[in-house]
Amino acid sequence: MKTIQQEIDERTNLTGTNKLELLLFRLGEDPLLQRSELFGINVFKIREIIPMPEITAMAGSSPHKMGVVDLRGQIIPVIDLAGVAGCTPKTGLNILLITEYARTTQAFAVESVEDIVRLDWRQVMSAEGNSASGIVTSIARLDGENSERLAQVLDVETILQQVMPAPEPAADVAQSHTRVELRPGTVILAADDSLSARIMIEQGLGAMGLPYLMCKNGKEAWDQLQGIAAKAEAEGKTAHDHVALVLTDLEMPEMDGFTLTRNVKQDPRFAGIPVVIHSSLSGSTNEAHVRKVGADGYVAKFSAEELAVALRNALRG
């Protein structure tokens, strides 16, 4: 019988199909409803799953940072995910999820691991406006459109920013004096489902002096492009006269970044518009898919200076 770790190792080829696989886990009882809810993280973020090892507490650590573990010579920070979510584990924090995310490696302590499920991104609905804490980016319907079994997909970017804040990207750009020029009358159309990621992208683009339209997911960006194309046609222009470049995340509810990129590249109305993928999902597998769907660039989150370079290179074509 396959272990969950073996399942993770074998599932590496879903990108580009508007599908994802979620690792489902539990964090303990919710204080209000007093029941244990399901949470999820994209399998692509998981490097490995291990039983809880000995943790070394670090003096002066921020709340919810439990300390560090030495994993085969690599010192990895451990985050109390149950504490972040406000849950109370009944059997303790028994499992560590080792994740690679936005150029960093960290471990999330959880109570138990349940399953891996394969979903279409259309089964994943945005949770924005329904998550008081802002750490849940979307809600997954696990058994189809009419499912009552739901899982909360965590916004890892926001959690990491809360527990281990990174430098402001605007300061990164200001220090490097990096600016990017667009053709007059054009904008960057950006899409990202994470609130904290959108804030950082907006700060970075603003510091570069770039006008932009920000969307909350790939479908919203695609709908925006449809409207822009219709307006441009009525004016006797092209969509490229209004949109200089599309900047998209990969993981997004309803339509992922690979599907958005493929749609843009296959539609003659958007000829000439470069697409840059800006994602915390890195590695050779994802970068190969980036090339396969025709994206003009790929940059890992979050370095405003590297983002500026990627944008400039794509705009030069």
Side-chain angles (χ1 to χ4, degrees):
M1 188 173 185
K2 293 179 182 177
T3 67
I4 287 178
Q5 183 64 52
Q6 288 172 324
E7 296 282 354
I8 288 174
D9 293 339
E10 292 177 6
R11 288 171 160 98
T12 58
N13 200 33
L14 286 180
T15 51
T17 62
N18 207 40
K19 295 183 183 295
L20 79 156
E21 287 188 328
L22 284 181
L23 175 72
L24 301 179
F25 54 88
R26 296 187 189 273
L27 299 175
E29 283 192 356
D30 175 271
L32 182 62
L33 298 178
Q34 295 187 333
R35 67 187 185 203
S36 181
E37 303 289 357
L38 278 171
F39 293 87
I41 289 180
N42 193 323
V43 167
F44 272 103
K45 293 189 176 77
I46 308 295
R47 193 176 84 184
E48 60 184 303
I49 301 168
I50 62 174
M52 181 63 71
E54 183 176 344
I55 297 175
T56 300
M58 299 296 290
S61 289
S62 59
H64 307 311
K65 186 174 177 182
M66 300 171 66
V68 298
V69 294
D70 182 352
L71 187 61
R72 296 184 294 277
Q74 183 180 12
I75 302 300
I76 299 174
V78 178
I79 296 170
D80 175 4
L81 202 51
V84 173
C87 297
T88 304
K90 291 301 182 183
T91 64
L93 295 171
N94 306 307
I95 302 291
L96 280 189
L97 310 180
I98 311 299
T99 68
E100 293 181 343
Y101 205 91
R103 305 166 185 261
T104 63
T105 301
Q106 52 281 313
F108 291 107
V110 304
E111 183 173 36
S112 63
V113 169
E114 297 285 309
D115 196 4
I116 290 175
V117 293
R118 181 173 296 187
L119 306 173
D120 190 292
W121 273 111
R122 287 172 293 187
Q123 292 175 243
V124 183
M125 302 293 106
S126 173
E128 194 154 313
N130 294 311
S131 173
S133 65
I135 67 166
V136 176
T137 186
S138 50
I139 303 293
R141 299 184 179 118
L142 300 180
D143 304 310
E145 289 188 9
N146 299 317
S147 172
E148 294 183 0
R149 195 165 68 108
L150 306 176
Q152 301 174 62
V153 182
L154 292 174
D155 186 344
V156 179
E157 290 164 338
T158 293
I159 292 170
L160 291 178
Q161 187 65 16
Q162 288 179 358
V163 179
M164 299 183 295
E168 295 292 337
D172 183 8
V173 174
Q175 290 171 6
S176 65
H177 307 289
T178 303
R179 293 182 70 83
V180 179
E181 298 295 329
L182 297 185
R183 288 178 292 110
T186 62
V187 300
I188 301 287
L189 180 68
D192 202 297
D193 67 323
S194 167
L195 176 60
S196 63
R198 290 200 301 273
I199 291 171
M200 295 179 78
I201 292 167
E202 289 173 350
Q203 289 173 342
L205 295 178
M208 295 175 209
L210 294 174
Y212 59 85
L213 293 174
M214 181 62 71
C215 302
K216 298 176 183 176
N217 58 54
K219 185 177 184 302
E220 184 178 319
W222 180 240
D223 291 343
Q224 279 270 15
L225 284 169
Q226 304 294 305
I228 289 169
K231 178 183 176 183
E233 184 179 4
E235 297 171 343
K237 298 181 179 180
T238 69
H240 198 193
D241 292 323
H242 296 284
V243 178
L245 179 144
V246 173
L247 177 67
T248 179
D249 187 22
L250 289 182
E251 294 184 282
M252 294 182 290
E254 299 188 71
M255 181 186 291
D256 68 16
F258 286 118
T259 303
L260 174 62
T261 301
R262 189 170 56 248
N263 286 352
V264 171
K265 291 301 181 179
Q266 292 178 351
D267 194 320
R269 296 175 300 167
F270 307 117
I273 298 178
V275 179
V276 172
I277 289 177
H278 184 225
S279 175
S280 57
L281 292 179
S282 58
S284 59
T285 299
N286 283 306
E287 292 183 29
H289 282 295
V290 165
R291 291 190 294 271
K292 186 176 179 180
V293 298
D296 300 274
Y298 174 91
V299 59
K301 294 176 180 177
F302 280 108
S303 166
E305 186 171 357
E306 290 182 20
L307 176 59
V309 171
L311 295 179
R312 186 182 296 108
N313 289 341
L315 288 165
R316 285 173 180 165

